[in-house]
Amino acid sequence: MTNRQIWLRSRPNGIPQAADFDLREVELPTLSDGEFLVRNAYLSADPAMRGWIADKSTYWPRMEVGDTMRAFAAGEVVETRNPAYDVGDQVMGVFGWQDYAAVKQSEVMRKVLESDLPLSLSLGILGLNGLTAYFGLLDVCRPKPGETVVVSTAAGGVGSAVGQIAKIRGCRTIGFAGGPEKVRQCIEDFGYDYAIDYKATKDIDRVLAEHCPEGIDAFFDNTSGAVHDAVLRRINLGARIAICGTASYASWDPWNEGPRPERHLLVKRAIMQGFLTTDFAARYEEAVAALAGWIREGRLKYREDVLNGIEAAPASIAMLYAGENRGKLIIRL
């Protein structure tokens, strides 16, 4: 048996394209003590993967040309030399874009126990997307009932969950999305009170003033850029801002510069905080239990965009940044 892997062929400066990757076949890995072999069923495509490849200042070691593409994946244990994992266990973690992975404990994000729900959800609403939304909103933005919460990339895997959790907590929600279809999704599928098509809106300040007449209390930012600048001009006293991503910029080399936020934060005594989901690793099960409960109750909806075959993986990151996906983007093996 062989193991197919997608590996980094060249280092992009900007959005990774399909040509920056290639497919290779290698022998199945031999397990060492403490490891177990996972047969991946689903691979994830996430915006953060761009930074893992190109950004020297990212939070994980930068990938090198020739490396198998780092990625979250979900699958089943098929061989084990670790007493904590049995054959048949379902797990999710950083297993890479490949059919099989020899996994160490440190690479596991969690053992998947929700047998009544699809395994693919562990890469989306019950995985990195849902956990990011849960902790970024509830621990960083700390919304109160009746407050106005604004979300950028509001129809995406993270943003759609943020908006719905904010509604569950009794907030008024305003989302930014790109294009009429994603605006429709925000309102009809994910329950936003209003959604703004940033691609078609020339005067973001005017639209925010119209739909946030009493200001903005919390902002969950996935993009940075012009939307971020406009929102800061409308924040209320004591506003909380969660910095989750900077997707509006294709590259940080050279460094992007723009309007300064300091005066807004000072005058409004606001808090702007960056965070990583891994900061909350000790509380993953708390979050998954809440998210899964809301799904079972019909209060939390999700959408998946599924590509078939490992050959589809190389183009998936570019799809994300072009806004071509219609839900959490995953690759089914």
Side-chain angles (χ1 to χ4, degrees), residues 67-143:
D67 289 350
T68 300
M69 184 60 208
R70 180 189 298 140
F72 289 95
E76 182 177 313
V77 177
V78 294
E79 183 182 345
T80 182
R81 295 187 64 179
N82 185 320
Y85 294 88
D86 296 324
V87 171
D89 283 350
Q90 293 185 325
V91 289
M92 185 275 279
V94 186
F95 306 154
W97 274 354
Q98 54 186 338
D99 289 321
Y100 292 87
V103 175
K104 302 177 178 65
Q105 176 64 54
S106 60
E107 296 167 325
V108 179
M109 192 166 181
R110 62 181 301 265
K111 187 180 290 188
V112 180
L113 303 176
E114 299 74 38
S115 58
D116 61 321
L117 297 172
L119 177 61
S120 60
L121 298 193
S122 67
L123 295 179
I125 194 68
L126 296 182
L128 188 64
N129 293 157
L131 295 171
T132 300
Y134 182 92
F135 292 117
L137 179 69
L138 300 182
D139 282 65
V140 181
C141 288
R142 303 188 304 279

Side-chain angles (χ1 to χ4, degrees), residues 3-5 40 43 68 95-101 310 333:
N3 184 25
R4 297 176 301 166
Q5 300 175 328
N40 288 329
L43 311 177
T68 300
F95 306 154
W97 274 354
Q98 54 186 338
D99 289 321
Y100 292 87
I310 197 169
L333 299 182

